[in-house]
Amino acid sequence: MQNDRVALVTGATSGIGVEIAGQLAERGFRVAVSGRSEERGREVAERLGERVTFVRADLTEPGAPARLVADTVAALGRLDVAVNNAAIDHTNDLLEVGEDEIRTTFETNTFAAMNLLIAAARQMREQGEGGAIINITSRLASIGVPTMGIYSASKGAMLAFTKAAAIDLAPFNIRVNAVAPGMTRTPLYQEWLEGLPDPDAEAAKVAAAIPLGRIAEPADVAAVVAFLASPEAAYLTGTSIPVEGGYLAK
């Protein structure tokens, strides 16, 4: 158990974020789940149980990351763990990408996440007991894939920021790490798959490219996040853990 500590998970109204929130709650955390949809957020909080509270936020709005941290503390009393999970996808031929696409992708995946990290760290410093910040990046932070350049860059920036922030925040015993998922069975993945001419063949092709022979489940990613949030990871900071079945080892 985590001594009733408080965790905040952004982008937690679907997919990996829901699983992260659920696993943290199972480990004794009180959890604030955040997202833009009031309806989905309240449904998730009700489904995950009494240890989970929904706090609405659109992190791209000016000042929203700091307000989210303040609202979490107002609701739950403190903040010990922050999980930067909110993100949007982006694919397009690089030479067709417009300025608005770049700006929109970075507003959510990079700028909002940076501001949330800073706001969370300020709260943890004020409490004086340290804390853990976990950035959900991607295997694409480390490799290039056609049509994914802007998304890759937005996540690559967060990988670099993870390492830099870990150094800045170490004197306050605030640990900063990243988790880099590969292809994961989320609603977004299922939607993409079902839009293809032969979903079964494409799923088999994707799995065959992964040494462990399957794509990740949200629970695979959430388990690593839960470990980084735990006392067992007390000596880990500034690192990135890939959760991609060995894809990057090839």
Side-chain angles (χ1 to χ4, degrees):
M1 302 295 283
Q2 303 298 329
N3 300 319
D4 224 29
R5 293 193 299 159
V6 172
L8 166 63
V9 185
T10 68
T13 58
S14 66
I16 293 172
V18 175
E19 186 67 29
I20 291 171
Q23 288 206 22
L24 290 175
E26 288 174 1
R27 286 161 172 75
F29 283 93
R30 289 178 294 147
V31 183
V33 296
S34 179
R36 289 179 292 185
S37 170
E38 186 89 22
E39 181 180 356
R40 288 195 307 178
R42 295 200 178 282
E43 186 276 327
V44 166
E46 183 176 348
R47 174 156 46 94
L48 293 181
E50 61 182 13
R51 302 193 69 80
V52 179
T53 301
F54 174 67
V55 183
R56 187 195 174 279
D58 179 348
L59 292 174
T60 63
E61 295 176 353
R67 287 196 301 273
L68 174 57
V69 169
D71 290 347
T72 297
V73 173
L76 299 178
R78 58 185 294 111
L79 181 64
D80 302 284
V81 172
V83 183
N84 249 327
N85 177 66
I88 59 173
D89 201 9
H90 178 273
T91 60
N92 197 0
D93 276 345
L94 186 60
L95 299 184
E96 302 302 319
V97 171
E99 290 184 11
D100 286 348
E101 293 175 71
I102 298 173
R103 186 174 297 109
T104 299
T105 304
F106 271 77
E107 283 288 350
T108 298
N109 295 1
T110 310
F111 305 147
M114 286 179 168
N115 284 321
L116 191 282
L117 183 152
I118 292 168
R122 286 172 175 161
Q123 175 63 32
M124 293 171 185
R125 179 185 63 180
E126 182 179 325
Q127 292 169 183
E129 298 174 22
I133 299 173
I134 300 145
N135 297 319
I136 307 301
T137 57
S138 170
R139 67 177 182 176
L140 298 182
S142 302
I143 59 172
V145 170
T147 76
M148 298 292 290
I150 305 307
Y151 179 84
S152 294
S154 71
K155 291 297 190 174
M158 285 307 298
L159 175 59
F161 191 53
T162 295
K163 296 176 181 295
I167 301 304
D168 278 330
L169 299 177
F172 308 107
N173 195 31
I174 298 171
R175 300 181 294 106
V176 186
N177 292 292
V179 173
M183 193 73 83
T184 305
R185 197 182 305 280
T186 63
L188 187 64
Y189 167 82
Q190 290 299 137
E191 182 181 335
W192 167 75
L193 199 62
E194 290 164 9
L196 298 175
D198 190 342
D200 290 341
E202 188 61 32
K205 179 182 174 182
V206 170
I210 300 169
L212 286 182
R214 67 174 178 88
I215 71 167
E217 300 294 338
D220 295 320
V221 180
V224 179
V225 174
F227 166 68
L228 288 173
S230 74
E232 285 76 13
Y235 203 57
L236 282 180
T237 195
T239 193
S240 175
I241 300 179
V243 186
E244 32 66 289
Y247 187 91
L248 295 178
K250 294 191 299 181

